[in-house]
Amino acid sequence: MFGLFRRGALLDTELSDWQFGCFEWLLKHTGGIHPYRQRRLILPTREFFPHDGSQGHAFAEMLFQQVKVHAGMADWPTQLQCQEADPNTLVSPQAFVQGLKPSPAGTFRALKEGGALITYNPQQLHNPMSLVATFAHELAHYRTAGFPEPPPGGWEVWEPATDIAAVFLGFGIFAANSRFHFTHFNNGSTSGWRWQHQGYVSDVEVLHMHAIVSKTLGAEVRETLPHLKSALRGIYKRVYKDISAPEAIAQWSRGLEGQAG
């Protein structure tokens, strides 16, 4: 468990080192530091995601194309498909079906004819923040699938590394806000609570990587805080401070020097 109240760095040294290694891996295979520094943090605002009034799958298509543009993958061939809806677990006002495994938030599959098929869970149409995070993750799969070498730790950690890659592409705010959902429902005859976890790494890990990206792009804490869930703001200030420590800056600088070409 992460010691939120301990005095040292919030993220364990091993995980921190792995993130810096992933950052170097991503820089190495996406053009290096100079083009990367032309990127921006992607924010949940109308500037980045103007809405044309579409609904349903058309809305998902609109968001998907916007995410592709912000990820620098506008011309990468893709097909977007909606998954089948999860079965309703509410049998009656007094009975729920337990043990049903929900469908994934999204999937990625390389196509034999070229390009990729990306799917999404239709439930996410009600949560654009989560839908953007899903699209960013699946596009990060697509982006890293062609790398000639695995992430630090090997291809067996590709899923966690893909979460890190989505943050690298600028979508850390969306990823952090979508880690955990706890909502109340009331359909008139029945009410209750439901929760959902999305992603392969914790919100602390996402925010730590987002801090690395922010420092690299010259983005200060105040650019991120207004867009985070209130429960995450203190954590982000903490990890940003950790990244700003002299030893972290030295490690970060060595990694950038190695990718300056």
Side-chain angles (χ1 to χ4, degrees):
M1 290 181 65
F2 295 104
L4 296 180
F5 300 103
R6 68 189 183 193
R7 293 184 178 181
L10 193 54
L11 199 66
D12 292 340
T13 300
E14 183 177 356
L15 285 174
S16 178
D17 289 346
W18 179 73
Q19 286 198 359
F20 278 109
C22 284
F23 189 73
E24 293 179 36
W25 172 69
L26 290 160
L27 281 178
K28 179 180 179 181
H29 298 295
T30 57
I33 186 60
H34 296 304
Y36 185 73
R37 278 191 161 143
Q38 305 304 311
R39 301 183 64 86
R40 301 168 63 190
L41 296 182
I42 311 305
L43 306 178
T45 65
R46 290 186 181 275
E47 176 189 358
F48 288 90
F49 297 96
H51 189 188
D52 62 7
S54 58
Q55 297 180 351
H57 184 67
F59 174 70
E61 284 277 10
M62 178 199 72
L63 274 186
F64 183 59
Q65 295 303 321
Q66 291 169 340
V67 173
K68 285 183 67 178
V69 169
H70 298 320
M73 300 174 65
D75 58 348
W76 288 50
T78 54
Q79 297 178 30
L80 182 66
Q81 187 175 94
C82 183
Q83 299 165 193
E84 291 188 13
D86 290 334
N88 188 354
T89 58
L90 180 63
V91 178
S92 73
Q94 293 79 32
F96 293 84
V97 177
Q98 295 184 342
L100 289 179
K101 187 177 180 180
S103 300
T107 66
F108 157 81
R109 178 165 62 88
L111 299 174
K112 291 181 179 179
E113 63 270 24
L117 173 66
I118 290 175
T119 73
Y120 68 93
N121 191 315
Q123 187 64 31
Q124 292 192 307
L125 290 170
H126 306 294
N127 189 341
M129 182 79 71
S130 180
L131 187 56
V132 168
T134 294
F135 289 156
H137 176 89
E138 302 309 334
L139 287 172
H141 257 311
Y142 190 11
R143 188 71 181 83
T144 58
F147 284 6
E149 62 179 348
W155 287 117
E156 58 267 31
V157 296
W158 188 27
E159 285 290 0
T162 300
D163 270 353
I164 296 302
V167 181
F168 175 86
L169 292 174
F171 297 90
I173 291 171
F174 297 87
N177 285 337
S178 302
R179 291 299 94 173
F180 186 78
H181 304 286
F182 189 65
T183 57
H184 179 262
F185 68 89
N186 188 330
N187 63 6
S189 59
T190 306
S191 66
W193 298 89
R194 61 167 61 96
W195 69 272
Q196 178 183 3
H197 181 268
Q198 180 173 330
Y200 296 85
V201 300
S202 71
D203 49 9
V204 176
E205 292 171 88
V206 169
L207 290 172
H208 187 274
M209 184 63 186
H210 182 68
I212 295 174
V213 170
S214 296
K215 290 287 289 186
T216 304
L217 301 181
E220 298 186 13
V221 172
R222 65 174 180 266
E223 295 185 42
T224 290
L225 287 183
H227 306 289
L228 287 177
K229 291 179 177 178
S230 57
L232 300 177
R233 293 170 189 165
I235 299 174
Y236 184 61
K237 287 190 283 187
R238 177 75 179 275
V239 294
Y240 194 93
K241 182 179 179 181
D242 292 343
I243 289 298
S244 302
E247 58 271 21
I249 291 177
Q251 184 177 15
W252 173 70
S253 299
R254 287 194 298 271
L256 297 189
E257 288 173 2
Q259 302 302 329

